[in-house]
Amino acid sequence: MNRTNAHDPRAIANRLLELRGEGQTPLTVMQLIKLVYIADGWAMTLIGRPLAKADPQAWQYGPVYPELYRAFKRFGPNPVTAPATIAGSDVAYRESFDAEEEGVLRAVLDTYGKLSAFKLSDLTHQPGTPWSKAYDNGVYSPIPLGDIKAHFDDLKASRQRVPA
């Protein structure tokens, strides 16, 4: 598995913002970054390929795609009210997502979209997660694709277990 033919994380974030829609509580930068990471992980497990073409890094508060952070950092702790745009323009990052990818994005929003930024950070910050393994190598270390896939495969398996 590799990240060839995957999407720019800024386009994924913009699509999540579109799907979130009006009338719903706006997302913060931290929420948006974590939701892109979670969607990337679930895509590997559910549809067999990553969603993002970039590897996230292990930052202090969890997995971060640096280009995504840079695109939205101007909002600080406030809600994100505009899409990520190409530098020096007002052209938003947009890409086409197939039906399976759209399904993953919608499921992630439905399942995780109501959680606070700090709850999402807690979920991605647990000991033994891909973030913690990469962070042990130092802040800003890349989080390997294989570790993310294995983690989300484990999450899927744990949700499918039937109690005795």
Side-chain angles (χ1 to χ4, degrees):
M1 180 177 295
N2 61 52
R3 293 188 178 278
T4 305
N5 299 320
H7 301 279
D8 187 298
R10 294 164 290 198
I12 299 167
N14 285 348
R15 185 64 186 135
L16 286 168
L17 290 170
E18 289 172 0
L19 291 172
R20 183 68 171 204
E22 292 187 27
Q24 296 187 38
T25 307
L27 298 168
T28 65
V29 176
M30 187 185 285
Q31 283 173 301
L32 195 53
I33 290 170
K34 302 311 174 225
L35 290 172
V36 169
Y37 171 78
I38 291 166
D40 189 33
W42 278 116
M44 289 181 220
T45 292
L46 298 174
I47 62 175
R49 62 185 187 273
L51 203 54
K53 70 179 179 183
D55 287 320
Q57 295 178 350
W59 288 23
Q60 180 179 359
Y61 295 107
V64 174
Y65 299 88
E67 62 271 66
L68 188 54
Y69 173 75
R70 286 190 298 273
F72 289 105
K73 70 181 180 179
R74 71 185 186 274
F75 292 103
N78 302 310
V80 174
T81 56
T85 56
I86 297 169
S89 77
D90 60 355
V91 177
Y93 283 91
R94 299 247 188 273
E95 295 182 18
S96 295
F97 296 88
D98 67 29
E100 289 178 314
E101 293 166 338
E102 285 280 334
V104 169
L105 292 172
R106 290 175 191 278
V108 165
L109 273 179
D110 288 347
T111 305
Y112 299 93
K114 295 175 182 72
L115 300 178
S116 73
F118 292 103
K119 180 63 178 168
L120 290 169
S121 184
D122 287 346
L123 288 175
T124 60
H125 229 203
Q126 299 295 314
T129 60
W131 170 86
S132 71
K133 292 175 187 176
Y135 197 76
D136 286 346
N137 295 322
V139 67
Y140 308 121
S141 294
I143 303 172
L145 182 138
D147 288 355
I148 298 168
K149 181 172 184 335
H151 175 71
F152 281 88
D153 285 347
D154 289 347
L155 284 177
K156 180 182 176 190
S158 71
R159 291 176 182 204
Q160 292 179 342
R161 289 191 189 115
V162 178

